Structure formats: C-alpha cells, structure tokens
Amino acid sequence: MLITHDTRCALDTVVDLVNTAPEDDAAPDGLADVAALADFVRRHDMSDVGVLSEFDLSSVCRIRGRFGAIFAAPDSRTAAGLINELVAAAGTTPRLTDHDGYDWHVHYFAPGASVADHLAADCGMALAFFVVAGEQERLRRCEAPDCRRAFVDLSRNRSRRYCDSRTCGNRLHVAAYRARRKEAAG
C-alpha cells in the first residue's frame, strides 16, 4: 500500500490524538487544557489553525473518542460507518495545496475550518484509505494486557502486536522468558 507523506502525517497525528486519551480514571489526559491542545497542534505542524479556545478543546476531545472507536472497530463495515460520520460532519472539502515547503498534497478540511474539523477531515480520510485498500486490520490497539494504545501496523506482513516493541513488546517477551526459566528450574 502506497502511503503519501501527507497521509503518513495524518496517521501519525490521529494515533497521537487517540493516545492522548487517558487509559483509565487514574491516568492523566494528554489534552487537559487549551495549552496542551496548542502544543499538540505545534508538534504535528498543523496548518491553518487559528487561536484555540475551550470550545476547540472540547470538540477535539469529542472526536478523539470517535477516532478511538475506529481503532477498536471489529470489522471494516463498522470502521467505514464511523469514518463516514466523522468526515461528513467535518464538511470535507478536498483541495490541492503546496504550502510551507511541501510539494503538492491534498487537504480535506475547508479553509478556516476548526481544529476539530481539520483533524476529522484529514485524519478521517487517511483512515478511510486503509479501509478502501482492505487494510482496516492494520488499525490496531496494543496487545499488552496493561496497554491499549493505538497504532497503525505498517509492517510488511501485518505482524506488529505492540504499540512499541522496545517497551510493551520487550516487557512481555522478558516476562515470558522469565516464566519459562522459572518453569524449567522447577
């Protein structure tokens, strides 16, 4: 599957957005205030975003939950329905642009769109490409029992199981190794 630069940026953005949600009641919210949202917008180099407000924050948190549901969708039909609702509500307006030193690419949000509509349109379309290509199963949640972070499996054979092999994957492999050693020692 060919993934263009702007689609890859949108995928990275939506994964990071979904992963800002607290995993449980004790965990902090990665978008706790407007300053955190502004930092998120800066980190992801989002263009055409004006001054952010509490309304923007609540709108982004609302669509964050909808994106989370897409990563948890049991099948492509469910994912497609969720993506269609998200993208339609954003008032998608595809247009070609070449700003900030980037070559031609497509923006799906309307000029002057809110940050929530910007995210819903661009990130929703990036996820839509995966459903269209029959690759919805690449939109995953970490299989570590104590982690439910979202990620996009871009491995060649669709075998990635953990959000990060250096943390979750390594931790579980070490635990399995220790359990085998303990069992062998009797």
Side-chain angles (χ1 to χ4, degrees):
M1 176 175 182
L2 174 67
I3 300 174
T4 62
H5 176 265
D6 51 317
T7 300
R8 180 59 193 256
C9 290
L11 290 171
D12 291 344
T13 300
V14 71
V15 165
D16 194 23
L17 176 64
V18 169
N19 290 334
T20 64
E23 290 186 30
D24 57 42
D25 293 336
D29 189 324
L31 293 178
D33 54 29
V34 175
L37 177 59
D39 184 51
F40 179 88
V41 167
R42 269 190 303 281
R43 271 194 333 269
H44 291 284
D45 200 22
M46 293 175 62
S47 61
D48 295 333
V49 175
V51 176
L52 299 169
S53 67
E54 289 291 332
F55 179 78
D56 291 311
L57 178 62
S58 65
S59 297
V60 169
C61 288
R62 198 169 31 259
I63 66 157
R64 173 180 68 182
R66 296 179 78 188
F67 277 124
I70 294 166
F71 278 85
D75 54 53
S76 59
R77 182 162 306 282
T78 303
L82 294 167
I83 292 168
N84 284 340
E85 290 173 10
L86 198 62
V87 170
T92 307
T93 308
R95 63 190 165 95
L96 288 168
T97 184
D98 66 339
H99 61 86
D100 299 328
Y102 295 107
D103 204 358
W104 289 106
H105 59 283
V106 180
H107 279 187
Y108 295 95
F109 59 94
S114 70
V115 67
D117 286 346
H118 178 141
L119 288 164
D122 272 2
C123 296
M125 289 305 300
L127 297 178
F129 296 144
F130 276 78
V131 173
V132 168
E135 301 284 352
Q136 181 262 334
E137 73 274 3
R138 290 183 182 269
L139 309 177
R140 298 193 175 159
R141 293 287 189 157
C142 184
E143 290 183 18
D146 58 342
C147 179
R148 297 301 303 148
R149 292 178 59 86
F151 68 94
V152 178
D153 179 3
L154 297 177
S155 67
R156 191 171 271 182
N157 62 357
R158 299 178 187 99
S159 62
R160 187 170 162 197
R161 298 174 51 208
Y162 307 110
C163 63
D164 186 344
S165 61
R166 290 184 312 265
T167 55
C168 289
N170 191 45
R171 188 170 32 85
L172 288 173
H173 289 117
V174 167
Y177 171 78
R178 287 180 179 158
R180 285 191 306 270
R181 299 268 305 183
K182 183 177 179 181
E183 186 177 307

